[in-house]
Amino acid sequence: MVRVVIPTSKGGLDDKIHKSLVRAYTFTLVELENGEIKGVKVLENPYKDKPYGAGPKVVLFLVSRGVNVLLTPMDCPKGKAILEAGGVKIIKVKPGKRVKEAIKSLQSSL
């Protein structure tokens, strides 16, 4: 099973990708098995309002959820080492794109 996470505003497959990883209101977690969507969960971002040090906390939060792939419009300079150590593949995507479109693109590459 591949667990993909995407920063979003409200969450879900019809939401759009948020422009920020750290300040996203929610994360949409999509579980893929054999390229098919098996589950979708919306996670609230508990660190979106933290003024300092939110980047590493957000990526630790995602790694602790068993995420394998992060689709994000941002480079994650402060969290990149944590993501890589956690085995998370980072794929850059355009903000504003619908989550389901990003997942469809990913499914075709799996």
Side-chain angles (χ1 to χ4, degrees):
M1 173 132 3
V2 177
R3 295 171 63 95
V4 182
V5 73
I6 303 132
T8 49
S9 295
K10 295 174 275 194
L13 295 175
D14 289 323
D15 199 3
K16 293 182 179 177
I17 298 169
H18 196 276
K19 64 182 178 184
S20 172
L21 173 65
V22 177
R23 303 296 171 205
Y25 293 95
T26 59
F27 298 103
T28 298
L29 177 65
V30 180
E31 296 176 334
L32 299 173
E33 190 171 331
N34 299 322
E36 297 294 319
I37 295 173
K38 293 296 179 184
V40 178
K41 296 178 185 172
V42 177
L43 309 172
E44 295 291 324
N45 180 357
Y47 304 106
K48 71 182 180 306
D49 296 323
K50 299 286 183 206
Y52 305 106
K57 290 176 182 170
V58 165
V59 297
L60 282 170
F61 172 76
L62 297 175
V63 168
S64 73
R65 295 318 177 271
V67 170
N68 306 100
V69 178
L70 169 63
L71 301 181
T72 179
M74 297 181 63
D75 286 323
C76 313
K78 293 181 181 175
K80 188 173 183 178
I82 297 168
L83 290 165
E84 288 174 350
V88 179
K89 181 177 180 180
I90 304 166
I91 300 174
K92 291 196 66 172
V93 292
K94 291 188 178 194
K97 188 174 188 177
R98 292 220 181 269
V99 170
K100 63 184 168 190
E101 293 169 10
I103 292 296
K104 188 177 278 190
S105 296
L106 179 65
Q107 285 171 305
S108 64
S109 69
L110 293 176

